[in-house]
Amino acid sequence: MKAMVTGGLGFIGSNLVDRLIRLGYKVLVVDDLSSGKIEFVNGEAEYVYEDFKSFLACPDKSIDVVFHLAAEARIQPSFEMPLYTCENNSYGSAVVAEFARRSDAKVVYAGSSSFYGGVYLNPYAFAKWQGEEVFKMYSAVYNTSAGIARFFNV
């Protein structure tokens, strides 16, 4: 099995990469290092240091599952940069969904517990919720297999 982890150099992503490798997966990590840390590199994984939205433009039939963790992951910056937050968290999810559709890969999407506080309270919560809706639509229309995990305190 081959897994792709977007945002695989963040805290959650790097721990997931380590676990997938221990489970015997081949792992491709796509991370632009905007918030990830190079010291989290696992020597057994393959890394692409690029914005996932441009890297995923081409399908890859060798990917079985995508763990989509890449995002603007904080509420406060979303107030100053709402367009950037929406681009990464909403549009970025559409890019991953389309990649999965073309590649016939399954997706696990990192949603957010901010959903439960209200999706209209800040650009971050809204954009993460929109990402969830993108995957629901791709599942309904294209039969893309996607699951959503809403993280709380990690």
Side-chain angles (χ1 to χ4, degrees):
M1 294 277 293
K2 186 168 183 182
M4 177 189 301
V5 180
T6 66
L9 286 171
F11 176 76
I12 297 169
S14 63
N15 281 282
L16 175 61
V17 167
D18 294 344
R19 179 73 172 151
L20 290 169
I21 287 172
R22 283 195 303 273
L23 291 172
Y25 282 78
K26 292 182 180 179
V27 180
L28 171 63
V29 176
V30 182
D31 197 302
D32 66 2
L33 291 170
S34 59
S35 62
K37 297 181 179 178
I38 199 74
E39 57 264 26
F40 290 156
V41 166
N42 181 314
E44 296 180 47
E46 177 185 352
Y47 287 83
V48 174
Y49 303 105
E50 191 174 323
D51 184 328
F52 73 95
K53 294 182 301 301
S54 59
F55 177 75
L56 297 181
C58 299
D60 182 346
K61 296 289 187 183
S62 71
I63 301 294
D64 298 296
V65 60
V66 178
F67 294 90
H68 181 38
L69 305 176
E72 170 52 55
R74 297 173 297 136
I75 291 173
Q76 197 55 42
S78 78
F79 287 108
E80 288 88 40
M81 302 179 301
L83 290 177
Y84 175 79
T85 301
C86 287
E87 177 186 355
N88 276 291
N89 299 0
S90 299
Y91 172 72
S93 294
V95 171
V96 172
E98 181 62 14
F99 174 86
R101 181 183 75 84
R102 292 181 182 183
S103 302
D104 199 30
K106 297 176 182 175
V107 177
V108 177
Y109 173 65
S112 172
S113 62
S114 65
F115 169 87
Y116 298 106
V119 297
Y120 301 111
L121 294 180
N122 57 70
Y124 169 79
F126 179 78
K128 290 298 285 184
W129 171 68
Q130 284 294 295
E132 290 186 13
E133 294 300 306
V134 164
F135 287 109
K136 289 177 187 177
M137 183 274 294
Y138 265 78
S139 291
V141 175
Y142 300 110
N143 203 31
T144 302
S145 180
I148 299 165
R150 289 189 185 137
F151 298 151
F152 285 77
N153 293 332
V154 179

